[in-house]
């Protein structure tokens, strides 16, 4: 696999620089200039963050957070200026807003629009790790650090402001301007050093990634992983997966029982499906298979694959799973285990995708219109409908519809434009 060199596009904390520059230059600028610069730079930086995620395939979330913080705080300052109120330090608005946006992103899964497109095209964090791309995980780590840093800056700034410290004093100038700027610079240096150490650890000789899976080393240019979810009698079979030493597969928790690794040669999607059937027949000795393809994730150089399949077992074949040290779990039990963080991260990502696709397909049509006239009604997720659904689970249209439908304001606007322009989504499958 080609080595991902360190560059400005994958040092994500560099997206804090506009805020740092404004904080440092504030003592030299007039109040009106600061307000206009904050709003203008904020809007431009939001666009830049989208540009980074699409063109350079990096994470623009931090830039998106910084851009909105600058733009919104500029609008608030403008409101204070129109009311002829005293000019307050910019960090009083920016730091809490950064903390709010990073909290919603990290804890409430409220993300920028380009995040969904990123997941659709490149997979989740743990899927990317197995493909050799750990940058998304690093972005989440930096976002988490930014959340705590923003909370600290907001608490200190508001405490000093309520205490009566103004921006003209030495103490106020330091904590309102240079203290947050210094923390941002420290975060940039921390991420740069960390990325460099990771590169040296993973690519010490520049020859690419080496994995040790199934006890065998030397999986070179081609690596594929077939993962099979086993479903029977409204339950999913899971086993306990212990954490490995490899950075790419270090998660632990309940996971699917059947995984197959292949290397040394490239397989097409048809060959992968055939290989999946052979693996199931070899593992479980089942003659008639009921298998559906769930999703595929492919690395940027298209040499590494992760493929998820669903195997539906008949009642007579269920006892064949006794050979594995696990048990069957209901949907309710899996939901509880997920809340308790007892699921393997890779299975958690895959299962969340499955639930999202099924719920979207059963609730909405491909156009985003509701299937049922009852507003707000969403059918409960059950496993028995999976075999009956006449959809392709890997069709990205369902992930799009899950966030863009007539139950959401932007979804209704989008549907209106589609009707106006007679635009239809292209898809590779028929409707559910």
């Amino acid at each position: 696999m080609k080595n991902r060199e360190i560059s400005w596009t994958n040092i994500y904390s560099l997206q804090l620089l506009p805020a740092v520059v404004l904080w440092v230059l504030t003592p030299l600028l007039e109040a009106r200039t600061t307000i206009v610069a904050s709003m203008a730079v904020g809007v431009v930086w939001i666009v830049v963050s989208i540009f980074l995620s699409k063109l350079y395939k990096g994470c623009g979330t931090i830039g998106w957070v910084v851009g909105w913080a600058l733009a919104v705080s500029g609008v608030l300052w403008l409101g204070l200026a129109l009311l002829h109120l005293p000019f307050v330090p910019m960090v009083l608005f920016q730091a809490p807003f950064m903390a709010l946006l990073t909290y919603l992103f990290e804890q409430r899964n409220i993300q920028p629009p380009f995040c969904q497109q990123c997941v659709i095209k490149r997979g989740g964090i743990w899927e990317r790790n197995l493909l050799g791309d750990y940058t998304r995980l690093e972005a989440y780590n930096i976002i988490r650090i930014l959340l705590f840093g923003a909370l600290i800056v907001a608490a200190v700034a508001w405490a000093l402001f309520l205490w009566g410290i103004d921006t003209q004093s030495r103490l106020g100038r330091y904590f309102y301007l240079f203290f947050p700027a210094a923390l941002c610079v420290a975060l940039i240096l921390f991420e740069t050093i960390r990325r460099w150490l990771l590169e040296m650890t993973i690519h010490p000789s520049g020859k690419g990634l080496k994995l040790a899976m199934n006890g065998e080393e030397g999986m070179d240019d081609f690596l594929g992983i077939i993962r099979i979810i086993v479903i029977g009698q409204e339950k999913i079979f899971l086993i306990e997966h212990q954490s490995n030493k490899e950075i790419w597969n270090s998660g632990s928790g309940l996971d699917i029982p059947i995984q197959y690794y292949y290397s040394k040669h490239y397989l097409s999607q048809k060959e992968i499906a055939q290989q999946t059937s052979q693996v199931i027949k070899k593992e479980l000795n089942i003659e008639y298979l009921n298998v559906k393809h769930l999703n595929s994730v492919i690395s940027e150089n298209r040499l590494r694959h992760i493929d998820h399949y669903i195997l539906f077992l008949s009642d007579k074949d269920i006892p064949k799973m006794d050979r594995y040290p696990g048990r069957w779990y209901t949907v309710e039990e899996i939901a509880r285990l997920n809340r308790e963080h007892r699921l393997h991260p890779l299975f958690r990502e895959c299962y969340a995708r499955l639930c999202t696709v099924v719920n979207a397909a059963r609730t909405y049509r491909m156009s985003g219109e509701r299937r049922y006239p009852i507003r707000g009604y969403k059918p409960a997720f059950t496993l028995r409908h999976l075999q009956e659904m006449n959809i392709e689970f890997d069709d990205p249209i369902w992930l799009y519809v899950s966030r863009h439908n007539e139950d959401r304001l932007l979804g209704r606007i989008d549907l209106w434009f589609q009707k106006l322009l007679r635009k239809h989504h292209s898809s590779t499958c028929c409707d559910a």
Side-chain angles (χ1 to χ4, degrees), residues 287-298:
E287 184 176 357
Y288 300 103
L289 301 181
N290 187 355
V291 179
K292 283 192 174 185
H293 182 242
L294 179 56
N295 76 296
S296 296
V297 182
I298 305 175

Side-chain angles (χ1 to χ4, degrees), residues 269-279 309:
Q269 198 63 54
K270 183 178 181 181
E271 291 172 326
I272 293 175
Q274 295 174 349
Q275 187 72 57
T276 302
S277 299
Q278 294 175 9
V279 170
Y309 285 84

Side-chain angles (χ1 to χ4, degrees), residues 80-328:
L80 294 177
L82 294 176
L83 294 174
H84 303 288
L85 295 176
F87 185 79
V88 300
M90 63 173 67
V91 74
L92 294 181
F93 298 133
Q94 290 173 349
F97 201 74
M98 285 185 186
L100 174 63
L101 288 178
T102 50
Y103 171 78
L104 294 176
F105 178 90
E106 214 270 329
Q107 298 291 334
R108 292 292 181 262
N109 199 32
I110 298 177
Q111 302 174 343
F114 52 78
C115 282
Q116 186 192 16
Q117 296 298 324
C118 186
V119 172
I120 290 175
K121 293 179 179 178
R122 302 167 211 162
I125 291 178
W126 288 85
E127 290 174 328
R128 296 187 204 186
N129 290 352
L130 287 177
L131 293 176
D133 181 6
Y134 58 92
T135 55
R136 183 67 171 172
L137 180 61
E138 289 303 302
Y140 271 73
N141 290 333
I142 298 302
I143 290 171
R144 192 174 295 112
I145 296 174
L146 178 60
L147 169 60
F148 288 108
L151 289 174
I152 292 173
V153 171
V156 171
W158 273 100
L160 291 175
F161 181 74
L162 296 177
W163 192 16
I165 304 299
D166 58 21
T167 56
Q168 303 302 320
S169 65
R170 178 178 299 180
L171 184 64
R173 184 172 299 181
Y174 175 79
F175 279 102
Y176 293 145
L177 305 174
F178 301 122
F179 175 65
L183 286 183
C184 290
V185 173
L187 180 56
I188 294 172
L189 293 175
F190 167 78
E191 185 185 3
T192 303
I193 296 173
R194 175 179 170 84
R195 287 298 309 276
W196 181 79
L197 292 175
L198 283 172
E199 291 288 347
M200 292 300 100
T201 302
I202 298 171
H203 306 287
S205 60
K207 294 182 179 179
L209 172 68
K210 289 185 178 180
L211 293 175
M213 291 183 177
N214 290 348
E216 298 181 3
E217 295 186 359
M219 290 191 171
D220 302 313
D221 294 332
F222 300 101
L223 170 64
I225 307 173
I226 298 174
R227 293 169 49 85
I228 302 170
I229 302 175
V230 183
I231 297 178
Q233 292 183 343
E234 290 290 304
K235 297 179 181 179
I236 297 178
F237 194 90
L238 299 176
I239 63 174
E240 188 71 30
H241 181 95
Q242 299 298 327
S243 178
N244 293 333
K245 295 181 180 180
E246 295 81 21
I247 186 174
W248 312 109
N249 199 19
S250 58
S252 62
L254 292 169
D255 196 12
I256 61 179
I258 305 176
Q259 294 188 100
Y260 174 75
Y261 300 91
Y262 62 88
S263 62
K264 305 299 183 185
H265 61 284
Y266 176 82
L267 295 180
S268 65
Q269 198 63 54
K270 183 178 181 181
E271 291 172 326
I272 293 175
Q274 295 174 349
Q275 187 72 57
T276 302
S277 299
Q278 294 175 9
V279 170
I280 295 174
K281 290 179 180 179
K282 180 180 178 181
E283 289 281 328
L284 300 177
N285 193 24
I286 298 176
E287 184 176 357
Y288 300 103
L289 301 181
N290 187 355
V291 179
K292 283 192 174 185
H293 182 242
L294 179 56
N295 76 296
S296 296
V297 182
I298 305 175
S299 62
E300 292 181 15
N301 56 13
R302 307 191 68 80
L303 297 181
R304 300 179 185 273
H305 291 247
I306 299 178
D307 291 270
H308 283 92
Y309 285 84
I310 303 176
L311 170 63
F312 299 96
L313 288 184
S314 61
D315 293 344
K316 68 175 183 178
D317 290 326
I318 286 180
K320 296 182 179 180
M321 295 301 297
D322 294 340
R323 59 177 297 184
Y324 297 100
R327 73 175 183 88
W328 296 93

